[in-house]
Amino acid sequence: MTAELPPGLAIQKVDERIMTLNVGPQHPGSGHMRIIVQIDGDYIVACDPDPGYVHRGEEKMAEYRNYITNIPHLERPVIHDSCNALYPYVLGVEELLGIEVPERAKYVRVICSELNRCIYIMYWLAIYGIFLGHSTMFMWPAGDRELLIDLMEKISGARVTHAHFVPGGVRNDLPPNFEEVCLRQVNYFEKRIREYAAVFYDNPILISRTQDTGVLSREDAIRLGTTGSVLRASGVSYDLRQKEPYDVYEELDVHSPVMKEGDSYARSKIPWLDMLESCNIIKQALQKMPKSGSVRVKLKPNPKGKGLDSVYKRVESGRGSLGCHIVSDGKVEPYRLKLSVGSFRNLIALPYLLKGEKLGNMPSVYWSLNYWPVEADR
Amino acid sequence: MTNTATGIIRALNSGIKHIATKRFTLRYPEEKLKFVGDGYQFDPSTGVGIAGLKGRHMLFHDHCTGCQLCSIACEGVAEAIAMVKVPEEQKQNKKSIMPQIDYGKCVFCGLCVDACPFYALYMTNDYELSSFSKEGLIYTPAQLAVKPYVEQDSEIIITKYGATHG
């Protein structure tokens, strides 16, 4: 009888020492998800993450919309990282329909996706700061994000959900005089985020709270299938921009940061190093970009796939590898669309990391996994 | 121990420096952001858009043929565009129907602008679309034909003492 109930609702054996605590789904420290923790005093004995509160059925919705009208809703799972969330889908549809993308469009896409990665990480960092009670680290990233949001607004005309990538290129060319403005603001942004080191990353209070908490070893990181910053913080140098370069990444110099410690501190520092690397990539792309040319291939209004075909593409998003599997049966809509998201794969590590930790370390360990509830639930 | 003390002092110091730097915050109703163009537009002959803010739409009655392509483009996205009969006295096309947009549903993706082959539907810089009722958010073809006036006065300026909205 009790086995049929969902987790958390099942009646459990009462133990005098162990207490079950529900963190979320309305708790500010969990996002739109619940973490069921069992604690013995201040120490976590077991932990059961319970996602699924923001399931929107993105994959099913995609089966009823054509390849173009799928664009606005597929970027919704991660609105801060909307260019990267859309990237694998667009690459997949291009391969499915056999479209060749102009060179300039590829560079514009790389610039947009790197800007978006920074915007996402700044938002993530702001929340990480406030989780640890460091309100300066909430205010600064939330403010400095504006520099890059302003750039994205100039490119795409929207502040968060850009709907800028389409199969065959990007929606519109860069505005006049953009390279100069972009370089100026990215340089200033880089200068600003370097200041975070003194106030946050070299701060002894942060180090004492996050070092040696939630240690994920290299073997466990590979075994559990984690991706992105979590994997790279455990000493595995795996970045899709280097390993499987898409668009023009092979022409750019990408040095993805890697740390060996695998603790909460390393996992929180990798995204920050990622942002510095992103600034570097943006500057390279601005330099190498063809100065003129088309940015979009003209498509038929309702493009169709060529018979029974399937394609799997993945990109490095702000949270790790983000894959999109599209199956086409020759109609205007995809037959099936599957998203493989980094957030969900990183969440699997949470029960292993929290075992034996103090309850006060739970928010820092949880958020250092670079987890975005809405993306994981899709 | 000394390391901890210097670390904390360094952290405090880097914050104190900011007393002298400029204020970055945009004071919204008094200051308004400057945008790049006249709003997002689309050129059907080349198939490429023109960069600009995706705000409220603008409908050119003399170009609109009532072909419903914008409404079809919106079907899978937000279902915000409905084709309505235009009153007699207004400029008419053959079918005498024109798009009416519900901004309670619109997601401002601009795919309707990409779908229009007659240069009839553009987007403007107008982003302040609040209303006291849901009906107030439904813009009729006559309302969409009005070119909005948008105040734009500040953009990000980077100085020696930090960035500011000048």
Side-chain angles (χ1 to χ4, degrees):
Chain A
M1 171 79 191
T2 48
E4 288 162 18
L5 289 165
L9 291 180
I11 299 158
Q12 286 168 347
K13 248 200 249 165
V14 180
D15 191 307
E16 271 179 14
R17 286 189 67 85
I18 311 291
M19 185 166 82
T20 307
L21 205 63
N22 283 293
V23 184
Q26 287 103 356
H27 190 267
S30 73
H32 306 287
M33 62 124 25
R34 180 168 64 152
I35 308 168
I36 305 159
V37 282
Q38 289 181 356
I39 48 172
D40 178 4
D42 200 18
Y43 289 91
I44 295 169
V45 178
C47 151
D48 181 18
D50 179 22
Y53 287 91
V54 269
H55 173 61
R56 297 170 176 177
E58 297 284 349
E59 290 171 359
K60 195 69 188 168
M61 273 164 77
E63 292 169 19
Y64 296 92
R65 282 154 179 80
N66 68 31
Y67 289 110
I68 303 296
T69 47
N70 262 331
I71 289 167
H73 82 84
L74 276 179
E75 61 181 11
R76 252 63 187 178
V78 213
I79 55 168
H80 307 288
D81 204 7
S82 62
C83 283
N84 278 320
L86 205 56
Y87 215 152
Y89 170 76
V90 170
L91 287 174
V93 174
E94 271 159 11
E95 195 173 299
L96 217 55
L97 308 180
I99 309 164
E100 192 56 49
V101 185
E103 191 70 6
R104 187 173 159 85
K106 289 182 182 174
Y107 276 99
V108 175
R109 276 191 198 171
V110 167
I111 292 169
C112 289
S113 94
E114 293 301 327
L115 284 172
N116 251 275
R117 189 191 316 280
C118 291
I119 291 171
Y120 168 76
I121 293 170
M122 288 301 258
Y123 192 88
W124 170 87
L125 188 56
I127 295 181
Y128 192 67
I130 203 73
F131 267 8
L132 292 166
H134 197 305
S135 50
T136 310
M137 215 47 212
F138 174 70
M139 293 294 183
W140 283 12
D144 292 331
R145 239 175 116 236
E146 178 66 26
L147 288 162
L148 303 184
I149 288 183
D150 184 71
L151 289 175
M152 277 316 291
E153 189 187 289
K154 283 187 167 68
I155 299 175
S156 73
R159 288 172 68 85
V160 275
T161 46
H162 311 292
H164 193 51
F165 292 8
V166 280
V170 289
R171 293 275 290 282
N172 56 263
D173 206 345
L174 298 176
N177 213 358
F178 177 78
E179 282 86 348
E180 194 192 315
V181 178
C182 183
L183 204 61
R184 197 170 58 219
Q185 296 197 6
V186 168
N187 276 333
Y188 178 72
F189 176 77
E190 199 179 342
K191 195 184 124 204
R192 278 289 294 146
I193 54 176
R194 279 185 200 282
E195 282 179 34
Y196 295 179
V199 78
F200 195 63
Y201 286 109
D202 295 344
N203 194 331
I205 298 168
L206 175 90
I207 293 171
S208 66
R209 276 200 66 182
T210 55
Q211 216 160 36
D212 299 325
T213 62
V215 182
L216 185 67
S217 68
R218 189 191 150 94
E219 288 72 37
D220 282 348
I222 296 167
R223 191 172 56 83
L224 293 168
T226 56
T227 71
S229 61
V230 180
L231 190 60
R232 275 182 277 138
S234 294
V236 185
S237 171
Y238 192 82
D239 190 318
L240 289 173
R241 291 174 292 176
Q242 291 172 320
K243 301 282 173 190
E244 295 172 18
Y246 43 95
D247 273 4
V248 287
Y249 275 111
E250 49 197 341
E251 289 164 35
L252 303 169
D253 225 5
V254 184
H255 299 287
S256 213
V258 182
M259 283 174 90
K260 285 202 170 57
E261 290 83 358
D263 55 5
S264 198
Y265 178 72
R267 281 196 298 275
S268 69
K269 198 166 182 177
I270 286 280
W272 177 69
L273 296 169
D274 249 351
M275 277 198 288
L276 293 171
E277 186 51 38
S278 285
C279 293
N280 196 2
I281 295 169
I282 292 166
K283 281 185 231 164
Q284 284 180 47
L286 282 173
Q287 221 171 35
K288 290 190 178 173
M289 184 166 63
K291 293 297 164 235
S292 61
S294 172
V295 288
R296 188 177 181 180
V297 182
K298 221 174 168 179
L299 279 186
K300 282 187 284 180
N302 269 343
K304 277 182 196 172
K306 298 174 199 144
L308 201 60
D309 201 357
S310 82
V311 62
Y312 181 71
K313 284 277 173 189
R314 52 182 190 162
V315 301
E316 182 77 18
S317 75
R319 299 153 305 288
S321 115
L322 177 62
C324 184
H325 185 211
I326 312 167
V327 182
S328 146
D329 59 349
K331 291 193 185 126
V332 289
E333 302 101 356
Y335 175 74
R336 173 81 167 92
L337 191 139
K338 172 89 178 84
L339 293 168
S340 157
V341 291
S343 303
F344 193 70
R345 294 164 65 181
N346 289 343
L347 183 70
I348 295 165
L350 188 66
Y352 298 89
L353 299 183
L354 281 182
K355 204 171 269 179
E357 285 298 328
K358 279 186 179 175
L359 186 64
N361 285 337
M362 196 202 74
S364 77
V365 172
Y366 161 66
W367 202 246
S368 75
L369 286 175
N370 217 341
Y371 173 72
W372 196 255
V374 193
E375 192 200 28
D377 298 349
R378 303 191 285 286
Chain B
M1 193 62 215
T2 48
N3 250 347
T4 312
T6 46
I8 291 170
I9 289 164
R10 269 189 66 210
L12 288 173
N13 231 352
S14 69
I16 287 166
K17 262 191 287 177
H18 280 260
I19 295 170
T21 56
K22 291 208 169 194
R23 164 175 57 82
F24 185 53
T25 320
L26 174 78
R27 300 200 161 171
Y28 163 60
E30 287 87 31
E31 297 177 336
K32 286 176 182 178
L33 272 182
K34 202 179 259 177
F35 305 117
V36 281
D38 230 7
Y40 177 73
Q41 299 176 358
F42 185 73
D43 187 357
S45 63
T46 56
V48 180
I50 299 157
L53 189 83
K54 288 176 186 145
R56 175 178 77 87
H57 297 75
M58 183 164 170
L59 179 71
F60 294 90
H61 282 212
D62 44 346
H63 289 303
C64 183
T65 60
C67 68
Q68 309 184 19
L69 279 177
C70 50
S71 163
I72 292 165
C74 198
E75 247 169 35
V77 181
E79 299 177 6
I81 303 182
M83 303 303 289
V84 291
K85 271 232 164 338
V86 189
E88 282 295 319
E89 64 275 9
Q90 282 178 28
K91 175 100 182 157
Q92 297 261 345
N93 48 39
K94 262 185 204 160
K95 293 178 185 165
S96 78
I97 50 170
M98 276 183 196
Q100 161 190 289
I101 303 177
D102 182 354
Y103 286 104
K105 290 178 179 175
C106 182
V107 296
F108 299 95
C109 65
L111 287 175
C112 49
V113 180
D114 286 18
C116 181
F118 302 109
Y119 303 89
L121 199 62
Y122 285 159
M123 289 176 119
T124 61
N125 286 334
D126 186 10
Y127 55 93
E128 291 164 320
L129 297 165
S130 56
S131 163
F132 282 109
S133 66
K134 274 189 176 176
E135 289 72 32
L137 288 169
I138 300 173
Y139 276 56
T140 59
Q143 280 171 297
L144 289 172
V146 183
K147 191 175 166 58
Y149 170 71
V150 184
E151 265 182 76
Q152 310 180 16
D153 44 17
S154 65
E155 57 184 342
I156 294 175
I157 298 167
I158 291 159
T159 63
K160 226 171 34 176
Y161 305 103
T164 172
H165 280 98

